């Protein structure tokens, strides 16, 4: 809207009976979102049975906007007894589930479905909320690079392979489909993530992956059995990565290779608004250090692999950018980072409001760079692998 800090879009998909509201909605008066409510009223007139109100990409909604939308929903249910409204939220925007959930107390035929809330219930803040909901997007963006990189680090069809700290399992599925290993074991410490990983494999029609529950620092896997062992984006979130590498070394057969990916988060970049972006990602590194994690691990990979006893270290890096497919995917990933890093993590550290606002601004500027028609936004990944001596 001209002259306003708001930027939002409202759409109605008649085929799916879904009204979608995305962006930032902060009206001072109802007239500012009149066009949005016209679309919503049209949806209400056309829908039969259940109307889905999709707010997964609604970044911000002030109380004025919420009251206008909530009143319309409640009144519609009271006028039409056959109508049900399901508000579809995402843990990327953690406030939405709680805020819209209160409407059920007013009108029982309004319910909330947090579509990604089942991913990692009860996990740490790194696995809560938006961070987990965006992992599949991250894997999709990195896979465009890794499918070409993996063979350079020794992966071939028919190998025996293990994916340690497999998370939600999408990488293991992609490797199984692309490289057809003779055996694939996927291990993680979260039972709920493994359950989701099995559903991902089912979704892709992939069979033969052995999902295993276990601690990556103390695996119940026999030594010397895998030709190729992967551990992606995980060493950087353990305070003792050498313990993980020791186990990766142990389960790898002599002559086999261990493949790891990690970040140097302070090297995230964007243009325009480069200075704000750079400042924020320098602060991200400090934030993770406070919680005994190292998102600057990427370039250190070579030293860690050598110290763990690996030979023939191969190392390279690549840049995931807003040009890798849909720029909105990149923007969604950054929005999820903001939600976790500048949200619960920053709050737990006790950061003052003025710091948090500047911290958030850098993420918003990174999103701006990703979506700007002439902008560029990047997220660097370091890849390293080492061979276990024969």
């Amino acid at each position: 809207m001209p002259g306003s800090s708001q930027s939002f879009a409202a759409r109605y998909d008649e085929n799916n009976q879904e009204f979608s509201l995305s962006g930032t909605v902060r009206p001072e008066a109802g007239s500012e979102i009149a066009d949005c409510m016209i679309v919503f009223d049209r949806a209400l007139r056309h829908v039969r049975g259940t109307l889905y109100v999709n707010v997964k990409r609604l970044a911000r909604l002030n109380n004025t906007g919420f009251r206008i939308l909530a009143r319309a929903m409640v009144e519609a249910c009271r006028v039409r007894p056959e109508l049900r409204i399901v508000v579809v939220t995402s843990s990327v925007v953690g406030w939405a589930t709680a805020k819209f959930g209160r409407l059920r107390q007013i009108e029982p035929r309004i319910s909330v479905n947090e579509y990604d809330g089942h991913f990692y219930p009860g996990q740490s803040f790194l696995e809560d909320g938006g961070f987990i909901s965006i992992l599949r997007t991250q894997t999709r963006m990195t896979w465009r690079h890794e499918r070409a990189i993996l063979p350079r680090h020794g992966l071939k069809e028919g190998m025996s392979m293990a994916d340690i700290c497999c998370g939600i399992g999408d990488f293991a599925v992609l490797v199984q489909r692309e490289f057809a290993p003779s055996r694939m074991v996927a291990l993680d410490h979260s039972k709920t993530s493994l359950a989701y990983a099995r559903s991902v494999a089912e979704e892709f029609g992939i069979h033969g992956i052995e999902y295993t529950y276990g601690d990556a620092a103390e695996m119940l896997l026999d030594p010397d059995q895998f030709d190729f062992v992967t551990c992606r984006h995980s060493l950087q979130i353990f305070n003792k990565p050498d313990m993980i590498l020791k186990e990766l070394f142990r389960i790898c057969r002599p002559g086999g290779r261990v493949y790891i990916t990690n970040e140097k988060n302070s090297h995230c970049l964007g243009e325009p608004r480069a200075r704000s972006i750079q400042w924020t990602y320098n602060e991200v590194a400090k934030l993770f250090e406070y919680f005994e994690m190292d998102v600057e691990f990427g370039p250190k990979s070579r030293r860690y692999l050598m110290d763990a006893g690996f030979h023939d270290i191969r190392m390279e890096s690549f840049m995931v950018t807003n040009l890798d497919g849909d720029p909105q995917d990149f923007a969604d990933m950054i929005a999820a980072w903001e939600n976790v890093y500048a949200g619960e993590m920053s709050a737990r550290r006790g950061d003052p409001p003025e710091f948090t606002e500047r911290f958030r601004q850098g993420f918003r500027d990174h999103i701006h760079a990703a979506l700007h028609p002439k902008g560029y936004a990047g997220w660097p990944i370091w890849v390293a692998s080492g061979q276990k001596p024969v």
Side-chain angles (χ1 to χ4, degrees):
M1 296 179 62
S4 170
S5 63
Q6 301 185 95
S7 175
F8 61 84
R11 299 182 181 87
Y12 176 56
D13 180 346
E14 190 170 358
N15 290 335
N16 293 319
Q17 296 199 154
E18 180 181 77
F19 170 78
S20 299
L21 187 59
S22 60
T24 297
V25 181
R26 290 175 167 174
E28 295 182 7
S31 58
E32 295 180 40
I33 58 170
D35 291 345
C36 165
M37 296 311 297
I38 289 172
V39 176
F40 187 62
D41 288 339
R42 185 171 75 247
L44 288 170
R45 288 196 305 271
H46 284 86
V47 73
R48 295 292 180 269
T50 300
L51 173 65
Y52 294 92
V53 178
N54 185 337
V55 294
K56 290 188 293 185
R57 287 187 169 175
L58 182 59
R60 290 170 186 85
L61 175 67
N62 69 1
N63 286 332
T64 300
F66 175 74
R67 284 195 296 268
I68 293 169
L69 186 60
R71 187 184 307 117
M73 292 166 62
V74 171
E75 289 179 356
C77 286
R78 290 176 176 173
V79 170
R80 295 178 51 189
E82 85 287 357
L83 178 66
R84 282 175 42 82
I85 295 179
V86 176
V87 183
V88 183
T89 66
S90 166
S91 53
V92 171
V93 282
W95 55 266
T97 299
K99 194 157 192 157
F100 284 97
R102 292 196 293 269
L103 294 180
R104 189 174 183 84
Q105 300 170 11
I106 303 171
E107 174 49 65
R109 282 178 288 124
I110 299 175
S111 60
V112 172
N113 177 17
E114 188 176 70
Y115 89 107
D116 57 358
H118 66 286
F119 283 8
Y120 276 79
Q123 291 295 305
S124 70
F125 47 66
L126 279 179
E127 296 175 328
D128 277 343
F131 192 82
I132 291 305
S133 67
I134 211 69
L135 284 181
R136 287 185 74 172
T137 298
Q138 290 187 178
T139 300
R140 184 168 67 250
M141 295 173 76
T142 60
W143 180 249
R144 297 184 179 99
H145 302 269
E146 288 188 85
R147 68 190 304 176
I149 290 172
L150 283 159
R152 295 202 291 270
H153 288 256
L155 182 60
K156 302 175 183 177
E157 288 189 12
M159 284 185 161
S160 174
M161 182 174 170
D163 184 31
I164 307 304
C165 304
C166 69
I168 60 174
D170 44 357
F171 176 76
V173 164
L174 291 168
V175 169
Q176 180 84 346
R177 185 170 61 182
E178 185 80 13
F179 292 95
S182 60
R183 183 189 180 197
M184 167 66 85
V185 173
L187 178 142
D188 200 88
H189 70 287
S190 169
K191 292 180 179 178
T192 48
S193 72
L194 290 172
Y196 183 77
R198 292 184 181 96
S199 73
V200 171
E202 183 69 23
E203 177 184 333
F204 281 86
I206 299 293
H207 304 284
I209 300 176
E210 302 171 35
Y211 295 101
T212 303
Y213 174 71
D215 180 355
E218 197 172 352
M219 291 183 281
L220 300 177
L221 294 173
D222 292 335
D224 303 332
Q225 61 172 309
F226 296 105
D227 299 311
F228 201 81
V229 179
T230 60
C231 186
R232 301 169 62 260
H233 301 283
S234 297
L235 296 177
Q236 63 190 32
I237 62 171
F238 288 101
N239 61 356
K240 295 183 179 179
D242 52 319
M243 292 179 62
I244 308 294
L245 280 168
K246 182 179 179 181
E247 278 292 272
L248 301 180
F249 185 94
R250 184 184 66 83
I251 66 172
C252 184
R253 71 163 180 81
R257 297 190 71 85
V258 166
Y259 170 98
I260 61 176
T261 65
N262 291 281
E263 304 169 44
K264 184 174 176 67
N265 217 261
S266 65
H267 281 196
C268 286
L269 52 86
E271 184 62 46
R273 304 180 183 177
R275 288 186 178 180
S276 170
I277 295 166
Q278 183 64 69
W279 182 88
T280 282
Y281 285 103
N282 283 333
E283 293 301 321
V284 168
K286 296 175 186 176
L287 177 65
F288 273 75
E289 184 179 8
Y290 177 86
F291 290 105
E292 300 186 79
M293 294 178 282
D294 185 7
V295 288
E296 301 290 277
F297 193 93
K300 304 173 187 177
S301 299
R302 183 170 183 266
R303 169 168 59 87
Y304 271 88
L305 285 168
M306 293 179 71
D307 289 347
F310 291 98
H311 294 179
D312 185 24
I313 310 298
R314 301 175 190 175
M315 195 161 177
E316 58 186 290
S317 64
F318 64 91
M319 184 75 75
V320 176
T321 79
N322 59 322
L323 307 181
D324 292 335
D326 184 355
Q328 187 64 56
D329 283 345
F330 194 100
D332 288 348
M333 179 178 71
I334 304 308
W337 290 358
E338 177 192 348
N339 185 54
V340 176
Y341 304 164
E344 187 174 355
M345 289 182 73
S346 184
R348 282 201 195 180
R349 188 172 61 171
D351 294 337
E354 58 272 17
F355 170 87
T356 302
E357 181 56 34
R358 185 182 178 189
F359 194 31
R360 285 188 179 277
Q361 188 59 51
F363 293 113
R364 296 166 189 163
D365 289 339
H366 206 194
I367 292 170
H368 175 80
L371 298 179
H372 192 285
K374 298 180 182 179
Y376 182 81
W379 170 43
I381 309 295
W382 269 256
V383 175
S385 70
Q387 183 182 51
K388 183 174 179 176
V390 177

